[in-house]
Amino acid sequence: MPLWERSRLVSVLAVASLLTIGAAAPALADEVEQVKNGGFDGTTDPFWSTAGMPMTLTNGQACVDVPGGTTNRWDVAIGQNDLPLVAGQSYRFSFDASGDAGHVVRAIVGLAVSPYDTYFEQSPVLGDLTHYSSTFTASTDTTQGQVAFQLGGSAEPWHFCLDNVSLVGGVPPEVYVPDTGPRVRVNQVAYLPNGPKIATVVTTATTALPWQLNDSAGKVVARGTSIPRGVDVSSGQNVQTIDFGRYAGAGTGYTITADGETSRPFDIGSGAYRTLRADALKFYYTQRSGIAIDDALRPGYGRAAGHVDVAPNQGDGNVPCQAGVCDYTLDVRGGWYDAGDHGKYVVNGGISTWELLNEYERSAAVRKVSLNIPESGNRVPDILDEARWELNFLLEMQVPAGKPDAGMVHHKIHDQNWTGLPLLPSQDAQPRELHPVSTAATLNLAAVAAQAARIYCKYDPAFAARALKAARTAYTAAKANPARYAPGSDGNGGGAYNDDNVTDEFYWAAAELFLTTGEKQYQSDVLASPDHTADIFGAGAFDWASTAAAGRLDLALIPNHLPGLPAVKNSVVAGAEKYLAVQKAQAYGVPYAPANNMWDWGSNSIILNNMVVLAGAYSLTGNPKYRTAVLTGVDYVLGRNALNQSYVTGYGEVSSQNEHSRWYAHELDPTLPHPPNGTLAGGANSSIQDPYAQSKLTGCVAQFCYIDDIQSWSTNEEAINWNAALSWVSAFVADQG
Ligand SMILES: [Ca+2]
Ligand SMILES: [Ca+2]
Ligand SMILES: [Ca+2]
C-alpha cells in the first residue's frame, strides 16, 4: 500500500522506463559504456547464465534453450555483474533480443547481491530480433550493479537469443510529457441529472470563453460562457471553469467544446454510479487471501488460494513470530491482501473495514447490492459478508488468553523479505512472520470489532457476541499497554505502518464501544479524550494513522445519547465548511489543498475521505451545498483533473490500468489481468518516493505527480483502504441519483 511505504528504505523493485523500439541514439562525447563484450564477439564472457542453461554463440549472438517448468522470472537468467552505477545519473539500457513468439524476457538493471534491488526493468513480449532501448535514472551508488535477462516462468521450454547489450551512462535524461488529451476536462463517467455539472478548461485565455454542450448526435443542447479562474495552484495551469448545471437532460455521449477543444465524452445519468458502487466493493473479493478466487464469479480473475499452506507458500495457517517476539504460532489465514503486496496489516485493515461497515450503516441501498461472491444469496448483505472476511482475520491476530500480552493484537503479518513482481499469491515462497503487538493495532481491533458487534447482531448474534468480547478485551489490554508503538523498521518484507500517536485510536475505539454498548466507562473515555474537542479536520480528514474523525463522525451520525451531542454534530459541520471553502477556491473542484501544495501519498483516498465528511454534514443538516460539494469532488477522481484521466480502472474514456500489484500485473506479464474495474489508483503524490516516478516526474507540480505504471508504487498502487473511500463515496453518489 500505500502510506506505509513511506518508511520503506530501499525500493524493492524499482524502475522501469518508457520502452522504445527503434534505432539506438547516437553516443555523446561524455557517454560511457558499462557493459563488457555486449556484442558477444567470439565469446560470451563475462556474461553468466544460471546452472543448466549454457549459452551458445550463434551468428554473433548469445542464445539459450530456456528450460520449461520454472515458476518465477528470476529462476533462469543471463547476466553480467560488477557494473558501477552512480545515483542521479541517467543511463540508457539497450539490447537486441529474439525469442519464441509470446515469451517474455524481464530485462533488469539491479543489484547483483542481496537484497537484489531492481533499479530498472522492462518486460517485452518477444518475437523476431528487435532492438529495445530505454533510459532511467539510477537511484543508488553501487559497484555491484548487474544487467540480467530473466527468462523463467514458462511451463514449456523455449529459445532465446541476445545481442548488443549496452548500458551507457551520462546520457541526457528523458523528458517525460504526459499525454493529457483535449484541454477541456470533465468527469468522464457521468454527471447526475439532478446534480452540479462543472468542467475545467486549460487555456491561455484570461477572458471568458464561449462554450457549448453537444449531445451524442452532435446537436448543441446548451451554451454559455466560462469563468476565468487564473492559475490553479494544484496544477500550475491557467484555467477557466464551465458551469452547465442548468442543463436538465440525460443521456450518453455528451461533449463540451470551448477554446477550440472538445472534451472526452461523458454521460448525464446515475446508472454508472450504481455499477461503480458494486465494482468498488467487488474489488475486495479478488484481494482475498486464503480462498481460491472463482473464475465463474470474476471472469479473468480466477486464481489458486494464496497462503493456505500449499507449497511453495509457507502458509498462514501456522505462523510464528519474528525471532524472539513470541513462543506460539497463530492461524491467521484469510483477510485481504493489503495492497499490491501479500502482507496483511491490522491498522490498515481496521480503517478499511470500518469504512465498509460505515457504508453499510449509512446507506440502506448498499445492503441490497449483490457482489456475486461465494456468500451471495445467504440472506446476509454481501457488503457484510465481504467485511467479515477481513474481520475474521483481525480477530485471529489477537494474542490468545494465557500468553504474554493476551488481548493485544499483532501489528502485522507478512513475508520475511520483499518479493518481486509479478507473483501470484499462491506462488509466494517467502516465510511468513508475525510482528510484535502494538497499541494501535489493538485499538483498531477494539474499534471495528465493537462496530461489527452492533451491525452483525441482526444476522449472527454469536459472531456479534464474539466480536464484542474481543473488542472489550482489546480495549482493556490497550489501556494497560498504552504506548506500544510499532517500529519504523523491523524487517524487510513489508511496510512499517508505524504510528506513534494513538490518542486518536483510543478515541475511536472508545467511541465505537460506547455506541455499541452505551456503557458509562466508554462514555467517560470519549468525553475525556483530547480528540473529542480538538479540531481534527485537517488537510485530510482521516487515514490509517489518523482515525479520530472515524470516531467523531460515528458519534455525530450513529444514534446515541452522548452528553453534548449538538457540539459533536456541529464540529462535523464545521469540518465540512473547511473542505467546502477549499473546494470553492479550486478550479478543479478538489476539496483538498495540503500545506505547500505537497500532495500526500494516496491523495485520491484523502480527497474521497474529505468528501465523507462533507456527506456527513449533508446528513446532519440537509443543506444541499454539502451534497453539491461531494458530487463536484467526484469529478476530480473521474477525469476533471490536470492529467485528464479517471483514477478508477474501467471508468472513463481514459483510466488507470496499471496499478502496482503482484497479481494484476498485466503490464509485466500479458497472461495476468489488469486490476479489476472499480480499482482506485493511489493518485498524485508530490514526494514521488519510487525511482520510476522519480525518473519521469522530478519537478512535478501536485496534480502532475502521478504516472500509470506498475513500477510506480508511490503514485499508482491499489490498496484496501483507498478502495474503501471510493466505495463509500460511490454509494453516496448512487444514493443521490
Ligand atoms: Ca554480436
Ligand atoms: Ca450475502
Ligand atoms: Ca494515530
Side-chain angles (χ1 to χ4, degrees), residues 78 110 120 165 252 264 272 309 349 397 417 456 544 551 590 625 658-659 693 708-709:
I78 298 172
F120 172 84
V165 180
T252 62
R264 290 179 172 146
D309 307 338
M397 291 289 277
N417 292 292
Y456 290 81
W544 63 266
V590 197
K625 69 181 178 179
N658 298 305
E659 289 93 328
D708 182 24
D709 191 286

Short mmCIF file of all heavy atoms in Angstrom, two decimals, residues 78 110 120 165 252 264 272 309 349 397 417 456 544 551 590 625 658-659 693 708-709:
data_model
loop_
_atom_site.label_atom_id
_atom_site.label_comp_id
_atom_site.label_asym_id
_atom_site.label_seq_id
_atom_site.Cartn_x
_atom_site.Cartn_y
_atom_site.Cartn_z
N ILE A 78 20.31 -14.84 -17.77
CA ILE A 78 21.65 -14.50 -18.29
C ILE A 78 21.97 -13.13 -17.72
O ILE A 78 21.08 -12.28 -17.63
CB ILE A 78 21.62 -14.37 -19.83
CG1 ILE A 78 21.25 -15.69 -20.49
CG2 ILE A 78 22.96 -13.86 -20.35
CD1 ILE A 78 21.03 -15.54 -22.00
N GLY A 110 20.02 -4.02 -11.91
CA GLY A 110 19.77 -4.13 -10.47
C GLY A 110 21.04 -4.36 -9.70
O GLY A 110 22.16 -4.15 -10.20
N PHE A 120 15.80 -0.85 -12.46
CA PHE A 120 15.10 -0.60 -13.71
C PHE A 120 14.67 -1.93 -14.28
O PHE A 120 15.37 -2.92 -14.16
CB PHE A 120 16.03 0.11 -14.71
CG PHE A 120 15.42 0.21 -16.07
CD1 PHE A 120 14.56 1.25 -16.37
CD2 PHE A 120 15.65 -0.75 -17.03
CE1 PHE A 120 13.94 1.32 -17.60
CE2 PHE A 120 15.04 -0.70 -18.27
CZ PHE A 120 14.19 0.34 -18.55
N VAL A 165 24.14 -5.90 -25.98
CA VAL A 165 23.71 -5.43 -24.66
C VAL A 165 24.54 -4.21 -24.29
O VAL A 165 25.77 -4.22 -24.37
CB VAL A 165 23.92 -6.53 -23.60
CG1 VAL A 165 23.46 -6.04 -22.23
CG2 VAL A 165 23.19 -7.80 -24.00
N THR A 252 -26.22 9.68 -22.99
CA THR A 252 -24.80 9.30 -23.06
C THR A 252 -24.12 10.10 -24.17
O THR A 252 -24.79 10.69 -25.02
CB THR A 252 -24.65 7.81 -23.39
OG1 THR A 252 -25.23 7.57 -24.68
CG2 THR A 252 -25.35 6.93 -22.36
N ARG A 264 -13.47 14.86 -23.68
CA ARG A 264 -13.80 13.45 -23.81
C ARG A 264 -15.30 13.29 -23.49
O ARG A 264 -15.87 14.10 -22.77
CB ARG A 264 -12.91 12.62 -22.88
CG ARG A 264 -11.48 12.61 -23.42
CD ARG A 264 -10.47 11.84 -22.60
NE ARG A 264 -9.21 11.78 -23.35
CZ ARG A 264 -8.00 11.80 -22.81
NH1 ARG A 264 -7.85 11.85 -21.50
NH2 ARG A 264 -6.92 11.74 -23.57
N ALA A 272 -24.15 4.76 -13.96
CA ALA A 272 -22.74 4.41 -13.77
C ALA A 272 -22.37 4.32 -12.30
O ALA A 272 -21.50 3.54 -11.91
CB ALA A 272 -21.86 5.45 -14.47
N ASP A 309 -0.98 -22.79 3.08
CA ASP A 309 -0.08 -23.89 3.46
C ASP A 309 0.13 -24.90 2.34
O ASP A 309 0.42 -26.07 2.59
CB ASP A 309 -0.57 -24.61 4.73
CG ASP A 309 -0.81 -23.66 5.89
OD1 ASP A 309 -0.23 -22.55 5.88
OD2 ASP A 309 -1.57 -24.01 6.81
N GLY A 349 -6.10 -2.68 7.74
CA GLY A 349 -7.31 -3.49 7.68
C GLY A 349 -8.42 -2.87 8.53
O GLY A 349 -9.60 -2.93 8.17
N MET A 397 -5.68 -12.16 14.81
CA MET A 397 -4.40 -11.52 15.12
C MET A 397 -4.27 -11.16 16.60
O MET A 397 -3.25 -10.65 17.05
CB MET A 397 -4.21 -10.27 14.25
CG MET A 397 -3.99 -10.56 12.78
SD MET A 397 -2.37 -11.31 12.43
CE MET A 397 -1.33 -9.83 12.36
N ASN A 417 10.97 -11.36 3.48
CA ASN A 417 11.68 -10.46 2.56
C ASN A 417 10.74 -10.04 1.44
O ASN A 417 9.83 -10.79 1.08
CB ASN A 417 12.90 -11.17 1.95
CG ASN A 417 13.97 -11.44 2.99
OD1 ASN A 417 14.60 -10.52 3.51
ND2 ASN A 417 14.14 -12.71 3.33
N TYR A 456 -23.69 -6.88 13.13
CA TYR A 456 -23.92 -8.29 12.81
C TYR A 456 -24.89 -8.97 13.77
O TYR A 456 -25.28 -10.11 13.53
CB TYR A 456 -22.60 -9.07 12.77
CG TYR A 456 -21.70 -8.72 11.60
CD1 TYR A 456 -20.88 -7.60 11.63
CD2 TYR A 456 -21.67 -9.51 10.45
CE1 TYR A 456 -20.06 -7.26 10.56
CE2 TYR A 456 -20.86 -9.19 9.37
CZ TYR A 456 -20.05 -8.06 9.44
OH TYR A 456 -19.25 -7.74 8.37
N TRP A 544 -5.29 5.70 7.75
CA TRP A 544 -5.00 4.59 8.66
C TRP A 544 -4.31 5.03 9.95
O TRP A 544 -4.44 4.37 10.98
CB TRP A 544 -4.15 3.52 7.96
CG TRP A 544 -2.79 4.01 7.52
CD1 TRP A 544 -2.47 4.51 6.30
CD2 TRP A 544 -1.59 4.05 8.29
NE1 TRP A 544 -1.14 4.87 6.26
CE2 TRP A 544 -0.58 4.60 7.48
CE3 TRP A 544 -1.26 3.69 9.61
CZ2 TRP A 544 0.74 4.79 7.92
CZ3 TRP A 544 0.04 3.88 10.05
CH2 TRP A 544 1.02 4.41 9.21
N GLY A 551 -14.17 8.18 14.67
CA GLY A 551 -14.94 8.22 15.91
C GLY A 551 -15.91 9.39 15.94
O GLY A 551 -17.08 9.24 16.30
N VAL A 590 -11.47 20.42 -6.25
CA VAL A 590 -10.94 19.40 -5.34
C VAL A 590 -11.05 19.91 -3.90
O VAL A 590 -10.56 20.99 -3.60
CB VAL A 590 -9.45 19.12 -5.62
CG1 VAL A 590 -9.02 17.81 -4.97
CG2 VAL A 590 -9.17 19.11 -7.10
N LYS A 625 -25.84 22.29 -0.18
CA LYS A 625 -24.49 22.71 -0.59
C LYS A 625 -23.45 21.62 -0.28
O LYS A 625 -22.46 21.49 -0.99
CB LYS A 625 -24.10 24.02 0.08
CG LYS A 625 -23.86 23.96 1.57
CD LYS A 625 -23.49 25.34 2.12
CE LYS A 625 -23.31 25.29 3.63
NZ LYS A 625 -22.94 26.59 4.20
N ASN A 658 -2.73 0.26 -14.73
CA ASN A 658 -1.52 -0.48 -14.36
C ASN A 658 -1.13 -0.26 -12.90
O ASN A 658 0.05 -0.12 -12.58
CB ASN A 658 -0.37 -0.08 -15.28
CG ASN A 658 -0.68 -0.42 -16.73
OD1 ASN A 658 -0.99 -1.57 -17.04
ND2 ASN A 658 -0.64 0.57 -17.60
N GLU A 659 -2.12 -0.26 -12.02
CA GLU A 659 -1.82 -0.08 -10.61
C GLU A 659 -0.82 -1.15 -10.14
O GLU A 659 -0.89 -2.31 -10.56
CB GLU A 659 -3.10 -0.16 -9.77
CG GLU A 659 -4.02 1.05 -9.95
CD GLU A 659 -5.09 0.85 -11.02
OE1 GLU A 659 -4.82 0.14 -12.02
OE2 GLU A 659 -6.18 1.41 -10.88
N ALA A 693 8.86 6.82 -10.73
CA ALA A 693 8.24 8.15 -10.75
C ALA A 693 9.31 9.23 -10.75
O ALA A 693 9.20 10.24 -11.45
CB ALA A 693 7.31 8.31 -9.55
N ASP A 708 0.76 6.24 -14.59
CA ASP A 708 0.06 4.95 -14.61
C ASP A 708 1.00 3.85 -15.06
O ASP A 708 0.89 3.34 -16.16
CB ASP A 708 -1.16 5.03 -15.53
CG ASP A 708 -1.95 3.73 -15.52
OD1 ASP A 708 -1.84 2.98 -14.54
OD2 ASP A 708 -2.65 3.46 -16.52
N ASP A 709 1.92 3.49 -14.18
CA ASP A 709 2.86 2.41 -14.47
C ASP A 709 2.96 1.53 -13.24
O ASP A 709 3.00 2.03 -12.11
CB ASP A 709 4.23 2.98 -14.83
CG ASP A 709 5.15 1.90 -15.41
OD1 ASP A 709 5.63 1.06 -14.61
OD2 ASP A 709 5.36 1.89 -16.62
#
